[in-house]
Amino acid sequence: MRQRLRDPMTGLLFVLPMLVLFLVFRFVPILGAGGMSLTDLNLGGEWNFVGVGNYARLLDDPKFWDSLRITLVYVAIYVPLTVLVALGTALLLNAVVFLRGLFRGMLFLPYVTSFVLAGVIWRWIYEFDGMINGLLGKLDLGPVGFLEEASLVLPALAVVSVWKGFGYSMLILLAGLKAIPASYLEAATVDGAGPWQRFRRITLPLLKPALFFVVVIETINAFQTFDTIYVMTGGGPARASYTLIYGLYDQGFKFSNLGYAATIGVVLFALVFVVSLIQRRLLDRGNA
């Protein structure tokens, strides 16, 4: 009995520091945000208990529903685009033999670049006298207001975020590709399967766990996007890029409504949690 208890206790001691950090910096703030959402706390430290008043106010707030719609549209654009780019680059890197490490480092470099720096660079690229409009002008297609037109701003922001963040997902998918036994692909080749058949029948099914992990991580990142929007558009034009996170920032630090901002954060947390559970269920179904 002592031996049975000794091994789990030893393992627990090893993970205890990280467990404490997780509880202090992740779990406790979640509980704190939930408590704040039940008050009208402001930056001055004054507060009163309002119960579910903030949630009732949120449900009646048309700006909240607009920002939720914008957030969902952004997620619908960003996640598939990121997964496709990450999967495509991972497949290319998996096929490369010469200088693979160099190419992998070059493709991963944008991921370690500051979001603020990336936003400043891409804002210049998107400007009317920027690089893209310069090329369009030579083709007589005229300047395009990528960040000035409501119909283009979300795709333009999604492209920046994809360029900035696909490197991490690329490495995850590349590791998944390396875990696929080469004998499976060789046997399929001997049986006469072409590249598309090998990808569809062997590579994609075996890559599904890594692929769904990437989808979940990138979905969470999409819901939390703030830096790029703050630097490039400030929620504009005409609130066309005003997401839930940007609304949370405005309520908390611009209007000093920390309680209401915490309410938005709790709703966003619940939304991401539900979406993650749905994706997890799809993952389990795919592995069944």
Side-chain angles (χ1 to χ4, degrees):
M1 181 63 68
R2 289 182 178 180
Q3 184 64 32
R4 289 181 179 180
L5 293 176
R6 186 180 303 168
D7 293 340
M9 292 301 296
T10 302
L12 181 61
L13 289 176
F14 277 106
V15 302
L16 186 60
M18 184 56 66
L19 181 61
V20 172
L21 290 175
F22 177 81
L23 292 176
V24 171
F25 293 103
R26 293 299 181 102
F27 189 70
V28 173
I30 291 174
L31 294 179
M36 287 174 57
S37 68
L38 303 177
T39 69
D40 60 354
L41 178 67
N42 56 44
L43 286 178
E46 301 176 354
W47 65 277
N48 293 300
F49 182 78
V50 297
V52 296
N54 284 329
Y55 293 93
R57 173 186 172 188
L58 193 69
L59 293 177
D60 292 333
D61 189 355
K63 294 180 180 179
F64 164 74
W65 294 108
D66 287 340
S67 62
L68 177 60
R69 176 186 56 81
I70 292 170
T71 301
L72 294 177
V73 171
Y74 178 82
V75 171
I77 297 173
Y78 170 81
V79 175
L81 188 59
T82 302
V83 173
L84 288 175
V85 172
L87 179 59
T89 52
L91 290 171
L92 290 175
L93 284 177
N94 191 49
V96 170
V97 177
F98 183 67
L99 296 178
R100 178 184 299 167
L102 175 63
F103 291 126
R104 182 169 53 194
M106 292 174 59
L107 292 172
F108 187 74
L109 185 61
Y111 181 77
V112 297
T113 305
S114 167
F115 262 114
V116 176
L117 179 60
V120 171
I121 294 174
W122 277 90
R123 183 175 179 82
W124 171 78
I125 293 174
Y126 281 142
E127 286 180 350
F128 283 106
D129 57 349
M131 184 177 66
I132 295 180
N133 277 315
L135 295 175
L136 293 177
K138 293 181 179 180
L139 299 175
D140 294 329
L141 297 178
V144 178
F146 293 99
L147 302 180
E148 288 75 22
E149 297 184 17
S151 60
L152 297 177
V153 64
L154 289 180
L157 292 172
V159 168
V160 178
S161 296
V162 170
W163 173 85
K164 172 69 175 64
F166 83 94
Y168 177 79
S169 296
M170 176 194 70
L171 292 184
I172 297 296
L173 294 175
L174 182 60
L177 290 172
K178 294 298 182 183
I180 298 176
S183 58
Y184 292 0
L185 299 174
E186 293 173 356
T189 303
V190 172
D191 290 339
W196 170 247
Q197 291 177 320
R198 293 197 299 270
F199 173 76
R200 181 183 176 187
R201 300 295 185 181
I202 298 177
T203 302
L204 195 59
L206 295 178
L207 193 63
K208 190 173 292 185
L211 195 60
F212 271 93
F213 173 79
V214 166
V215 170
V216 171
I217 294 300
E218 295 298 347
T219 301
I220 295 174
N221 290 336
F223 276 106
Q224 296 178 341
T225 299
F226 171 77
D227 310 66
T228 306
I229 297 174
Y230 180 81
V231 173
M232 299 186 67
T233 64
R239 301 174 65 90
S241 60
Y242 197 84
T243 59
L244 284 176
I245 285 291
Y246 206 92
L248 186 153
Y249 168 79
D250 272 356
Q251 291 294 333
F253 299 99
K254 187 176 181 179
F255 305 124
S256 301
N257 296 326
L258 293 181
Y260 192 59
T263 304
I264 299 176
V266 170
V267 172
L268 182 61
F269 171 79
L271 180 61
V272 173
F273 184 72
V274 170
V275 172
S276 299
L277 287 180
I278 295 173
Q279 292 173 331
R280 178 62 182 174
R281 178 61 62 86
L282 294 175
L283 172 61
D284 291 339
R285 183 182 302 173
N287 291 334

